[in-house]
Amino acid sequence: MTRDMSDVTRAQKRGRPARTWRLNVAERAALWWSRRHGHAPPTSDTDARPPSGEAQAGPSDVPAGVAGASALWRMRTTVKDTPGSLAALCTALADHRVDILSLQTHPLGEDIVDEFLLRAPGALAAREIARAVERAGGNGTWIERADAHDLVDAPTRVLDLATRTALDAAELPLALRQLLGRCTIRQLPAAGPGRTQSGVPVEGVLEETVMRLRAPEGGVITVERPYLPFTPTEFARARALVELDARLGPRVPDGQDVLTLPEGNDITVRRADTGDLEAAKAMHERCSARTLGMRYHGPVGDADRYLNHLLSPRYGRTLAVQTRSGRIVGLGHLLWDGDETEVALLVEDQWQRRGIGGELLRRLVAMAVEAGCASVYAVTQSSNTGMVAAMRGLGLPLDYQIEEGTLVITARLDDTGAQATPLARFEEPIVRD
């Protein structure tokens, strides 16, 4: 069967577990979010289709406006591990004037998965390529559009991802996603003190479209890619990245910016992690109930049960704003939420309305752009005019959804690459896959 991925229809929506650090109204927001988003790959970025029986050529197989140009494609197909099988595929591609730019092989016992990067005539539809490959002995063929980033050879790309992971613990989920393509990555906490989730051995578990790996700090990292099974080679690469992260331990890149507010006060913006937990708790104790209610959508109990999560590099990145005395007066979070990205802000009452929230948000968005995120969303109360103003101040296309007093604002980041660099100049550079 041809797995030609050019028009993906989203999988049926399914709910996500509520997060313990998002309170009250947030549970309703989670229900809203699960209805809005499925776990299938997006339809707008790859010209991809799910499995659909006999392939038929159609206009969507050919990118608009490139009938006379060439097009890049990523393709996988499975062949028998016998002499001449690869030669037959190459001959079939050559007959259609398709150039093979790179090839990776993934052994599977008696079979081999061949992964190609192809340059084909612009008028040649993906289905025609897939049919030619299957006539030459390929099966389970999957094909999707590629771009110039895919021209980087696999060893170089893996080394780049390993470097990023070594520099910053927050990079591990992003590195896994760029290593494995469009997938959903979640981390479940340990089942108890000092224990990992049961059923996951040290070497991890591979189950076709799902892999489970032991997280360095306990718990389990789950990676799902329902549209394409993982190979043992991909599983080994992912496990090697996780092992590298575990050996290096907690780490956050050095660097900070000193900014002068309009009234003349200097503040420092820097990365934060769980080492800032006590200072963050102290800031929460100085915040009014109204400010905390706006941030957490209801009464706030013991901060330990959500601040440790929010500050962990494993779940995203945190920016802290501190005064000359070292007191933290603002926090901004960029959180990896499965296949989505959330932004959240908290500024101490006495430091509000000075542009700190807007500055934090711009930097978080710049970090999201550099990480390759297509959008970010913020969950707040509809009465939180400060957050609404900060999101509008980004100058990006915004989508608003309101349900039972909860406002979810989504900013699309497609055209923001040019403004990302100066806003995140204290960050280590990120190579986008």
Side-chain angles (χ1 to χ4, degrees):
M1 179 185 294
T2 300
R3 283 176 284 187
D4 174 67
M5 306 283 299
S6 36
D7 267 338
V8 171
T9 53
R10 287 198 177 264
Q12 180 156 3
K13 311 297 187 283
R14 64 183 189 219
R16 297 178 177 172
R19 283 175 269 173
T20 58
W21 43 267
R22 183 184 289 172
L23 307 178
N24 297 339
V25 180
E27 294 183 0
R28 295 198 295 270
L31 292 174
W32 172 90
W33 197 252
S34 67
R35 287 197 293 271
R36 182 171 183 260
H37 294 273
H39 296 294
T43 60
S44 59
D45 63 343
T46 61
D47 271 349
R49 275 198 190 97
S52 57
E54 182 63 24
Q56 297 181 2
S60 61
D61 289 314
V62 182
V66 295
S70 61
L72 294 176
W73 298 94
R74 292 176 57 231
M75 184 185 72
R76 281 192 182 191
T77 193
T78 303
V79 297
K80 291 296 181 182
D81 187 8
T82 56
S85 60
L86 177 59
L89 295 181
C90 295
T91 300
L93 293 171
D95 289 343
H96 287 76
R97 302 180 61 81
V98 176
D99 187 18
I100 300 174
L101 301 181
S102 70
L103 168 65
Q104 295 185 63
T105 59
H106 302 252
L108 294 177
E110 296 182 355
D111 296 329
I112 286 183
V113 173
D114 289 326
E115 182 175 358
F116 296 89
L117 178 63
L118 306 173
R119 179 183 288 119
L124 184 63
R127 297 186 180 197
E128 295 180 51
I129 300 174
R131 284 172 175 167
V133 166
E134 294 195 341
R135 285 195 293 267
N139 65 82
T141 303
W142 168 89
I143 185 168
E144 71 172 0
R145 290 296 308 279
D147 59 30
H149 295 105
D150 293 299
L151 294 172
V152 178
D153 65 281
T156 300
R157 180 165 55 184
V158 171
L159 286 172
D160 284 339
L161 296 176
T163 300
R164 288 171 47 181
T165 301
L167 292 172
D168 187 350
E171 287 292 322
L172 179 61
L174 297 174
L176 288 172
R177 183 177 295 177
Q178 295 194 10
L179 175 69
L180 302 170
R182 293 168 291 122
C183 56
T184 298
I185 300 173
R186 293 188 175 88
Q187 181 164 340
L188 301 177
R195 295 181 293 157
T196 58
Q197 294 286 341
S198 60
V200 179
V202 174
E203 64 273 15
V205 175
L206 173 61
E207 299 171 338
E208 294 192 352
T209 61
V210 177
M211 65 172 72
R212 295 181 176 87
L213 303 164
R214 282 196 177 185
E217 63 280 357
V220 176
I221 297 173
T222 300
V223 187
E224 298 181 60
R225 190 176 65 186
Y227 68 98
L228 185 66
F230 295 112
T231 66
T233 301
E234 290 177 309
F235 179 63
R237 291 171 180 171
R239 189 171 57 191
L241 271 180
V242 174
E243 289 176 355
L244 172 65
D245 181 87
R247 287 180 177 272
L248 294 174
R251 61 211 176 276
V252 173
D254 295 330
Q256 59 186 26
D257 281 347
V258 177
L259 305 176
T260 301
L261 297 176
E263 68 272 19
N265 293 325
D266 287 342
I267 58 170
T268 299
V269 182
R270 62 172 177 81
R271 284 284 298 276
D273 62 5
T274 51
D276 297 288
L277 179 59
E278 293 304 317
K281 288 169 58 178
M283 186 196 78
H284 277 62
E285 292 172 359
R286 296 191 301 269
C287 289
S288 67
R290 180 180 183 279
T291 292
L292 294 176
M294 287 289 187
R295 166 61 182 91
Y296 297 105
H297 323 301
V300 179
D302 187 359
D304 287 343
R305 63 193 183 104
Y306 52 85
L307 269 180
N308 195 64
H309 179 108
L310 291 173
L311 292 170
S312 171
R314 185 65 63 232
Y315 300 101
R317 297 175 181 163
T318 297
L319 294 179
V321 176
Q322 68 181 39
T323 63
R324 286 183 177 180
S325 65
R327 173 182 290 186
I328 291 180
V329 297
L331 291 171
H333 304 282
L334 185 70
L335 301 166
W336 317 134
D337 182 17
D339 50 1
E340 308 291 343
T341 307
E342 181 181 2
V343 289
L345 303 174
L346 178 65
V347 178
E348 189 177 328
D349 294 65
Q350 294 182 358
W351 292 84
Q352 294 176 8
R353 301 178 185 84
R354 302 188 190 188
I356 292 177
E359 179 67 22
L360 282 174
L361 186 59
R362 285 191 295 273
R363 289 171 179 269
L364 293 173
V365 167
M367 293 161 69
V369 170
E370 287 189 313
C373 303
S375 64
V376 297
Y377 73 92
V379 181
T380 186
Q381 294 181 350
S382 56
S383 58
N384 190 349
T385 57
M387 189 65 180
V388 174
M391 292 292 286
R392 292 183 63 184
L394 295 171
L396 300 174
L398 301 178
D399 295 328
Y400 299 87
Q401 296 287 338
I402 300 178
E403 183 164 322
E404 298 184 23
T406 298
L407 173 63
V408 181
I409 310 174
T410 302
R412 300 195 300 276
L413 310 181
D414 309 277
D415 302 319
T416 60
Q419 60 191 44
T421 302
L423 290 174
R425 56 188 178 276
F426 62 96
E427 283 288 299
E428 292 291 338
I430 294 176
V431 180
R432 281 200 293 172
D433 190 8

